[in-house]
Amino acid sequence: MEILAFGVQADEKPLIEQAFQAHHEVRCLDVFLNEDTAPIAAGHEVISTSVNADLGPRVLEALAAAGTRMIAQRSTGFNNIDLTVAERLGMTVARVSYYSPYAVAEFAWTLAMAVNRRIVRASTRTRDFDFRLDGLMGRDMHGRTAGVLGTGKIGEAFARIAHGFGMRLLGWDIAENPACMQLGMRYVPKEQLLAESDLVTLHVPLMPETQHLIDADALKTMKNDAILVNSSRGGLIDTAALVHELRAGRFTGVGLDVYEAEAGLFFLDKSLEAIEDDTLARLVTFPNVLVTSHQAYYTQEAVGQIVETTVRNVLDYTAGRRSENVLVPRS
């Protein structure tokens, strides 16, 4: 059986081919799955997709009609998949429920430090042999407060980093993490966390309940000189409201590895095209904002675990087994 993998990055391709070679043939495509590319999957019982794939009703119906019965998504998030439609069509859907939390946590901390210490601006200056320090003053993080929204595996890993820097820890989640509490984390209401934190980092999944978790009111609750980092899902932040606050001169820095309208933009080269997204175009012009292209997970360790789990999900499907990664079981 040949597996068709959509949205495969160049660094990811050899890992996927090597992982599948002992089990099934695999064909890797750099194009993302959407209505236009769905016909390519015709005749493939199993396909693998990336987090930016469009797996809405129209795409799922096209896939099912052309013979696809199993979707193995190479990510933890699955908000891009209409699971109700997939179940109605009798399609099996699996994801990667776990991979290295350190990859994302370390990158989130990197974003925080980059905007705090003005690393991008400093690097740009020195390339032009401008060695002035004007406008580059940052702050010690030691003794300040880090607010962690979502204290699962990634949030815990971030908390350990912040604790190592000597920060006071505040947490918010539906369940308290004992490991975080051992670090001295105190769980408080979201409003209190936002009001008291010098650094706010988001590590919750995107669901209807968390859509625009950081909305206009939440942003106004934050300190004027706070740092905001999002390495989870773009939809957690109301970006238009964030731009409004940035225009008012608020926040020491904002580090975003995700964007709520990133589909069709992130992972692609758009450097020779006009960007029609006015919100994103405005966002990247702020000197205290750093936007990266959904790369927090992109380490050898994390991608290796993602690929290994994806192979295991496919093997479970062909053997009729079910694991904790299955979102829609085989009918």
Side-chain angles (χ1 to χ4, degrees):
M1 179 170 60
E2 182 182 71
I3 314 300
L4 190 62
F6 285 90
V8 177
Q9 303 298 313
D11 297 331
E12 187 184 14
K13 182 177 179 181
L15 296 175
I16 291 178
E17 291 176 338
Q18 182 178 2
F20 270 105
Q21 67 180 0
H23 309 286
H24 296 287
E25 294 181 18
V26 62
R27 180 155 62 101
C28 296
L29 305 177
D30 59 3
V31 298
F32 294 96
L33 178 61
N34 53 41
E35 284 192 58
D36 294 329
T37 60
I40 303 174
H44 289 83
E45 181 180 350
V46 177
I47 65 170
S48 177
T49 57
S50 65
V51 70
N52 273 354
D54 175 3
L55 287 161
R58 292 172 65 89
V59 173
L60 289 172
E61 288 169 359
L63 291 172
T68 297
R69 293 293 175 264
M70 195 268 179
I71 298 169
Q73 177 135 304
R74 303 186 308 280
S75 72
T76 299
F78 53 91
N79 53 288
N80 61 317
I81 309 173
D82 192 322
L83 298 180
T84 301
V85 172
E87 184 175 14
R88 174 173 59 81
L89 294 171
M91 304 177 79
T92 300
V93 181
R95 62 160 178 162
V96 178
S97 59
Y98 174 85
Y99 59 85
S100 169
Y102 308 108
V104 178
E106 290 172 4
F107 193 83
W109 185 260
T110 300
L111 287 176
M113 292 301 97
V115 296
N116 177 39
R117 300 307 301 268
R118 313 294 198 271
I119 298 300
V120 175
R121 182 185 296 181
S123 176
T124 301
R125 281 187 185 179
T126 55
R127 283 177 178 270
D128 294 331
F129 297 99
D130 178 353
F131 300 105
R132 293 172 301 159
L133 297 182
D134 298 348
L136 300 182
M137 184 176 287
R139 302 181 298 179
D140 287 0
M141 300 310 292
H142 180 87
R144 296 187 182 273
T145 300
V148 184
L149 293 163
T151 57
K153 292 182 175 63
I154 296 174
E156 177 188 332
F158 186 95
R160 292 187 182 280
I161 297 172
H163 179 262
F165 272 71
M167 298 190 75
R168 170 179 174 244
L169 299 175
L170 296 179
W172 177 85
D173 208 326
I174 57 175
E176 297 180 351
N177 184 335
C180 290
M181 297 176 71
Q182 289 179 0
L183 297 173
M185 176 178 284
R186 185 161 60 93
Y187 281 84
V188 297
K190 183 184 75 171
E191 293 73 17
Q192 181 179 348
L193 181 149
L194 295 174
E196 296 183 14
S197 296
D198 301 291
L199 165 60
V200 174
T201 182
L202 308 181
H203 300 291
V204 299
L206 180 60
M207 303 178 292
E209 298 81 7
T210 60
Q211 177 74 26
H212 286 180
L213 180 71
I214 304 299
D215 57 13
D217 291 338
L219 290 166
K220 292 183 184 301
T221 302
M222 294 175 61
K223 294 181 177 182
N224 286 333
D225 61 352
I227 293 172
L228 174 63
V229 173
N230 186 11
S231 57
S232 182
R233 288 293 180 268
L236 297 175
I237 296 178
D238 182 339
T239 315
L242 176 60
V243 168
H244 179 78
E245 295 301 316
L246 288 165
R247 291 182 63 184
R250 299 190 64 220
F251 305 132
T252 289
V254 175
L256 304 175
D257 185 51
V258 288
Y259 173 60
E260 59 182 326
E262 68 183 54
L265 291 172
F266 281 20
F267 304 143
L268 301 173
D269 182 1
K270 297 289 184 178
S271 60
L272 299 180
E273 302 177 25
I275 297 299
E276 299 179 358
D277 189 325
D278 292 337
T279 302
L280 179 60
R282 184 69 180 94
L283 189 65
V284 299
T285 64
F286 291 104
N288 58 333
V289 174
L290 175 57
V291 179
T292 53
S293 187
H294 206 141
Q295 70 181 80
Y297 77 98
Y298 209 51
T299 66
Q300 294 178 358
E301 293 78 8
V303 173
Q305 291 172 350
I306 289 170
V307 170
E308 290 173 2
T309 301
T310 300
V311 172
R312 189 163 62 250
N313 288 341
V314 172
L315 295 178
D316 285 345
Y317 164 79
T318 57
R321 297 188 297 263
R322 181 174 178 177
S323 73
E324 71 280 0
N325 297 320
V326 175
L327 299 170
V328 179
R330 186 171 187 171
S331 58

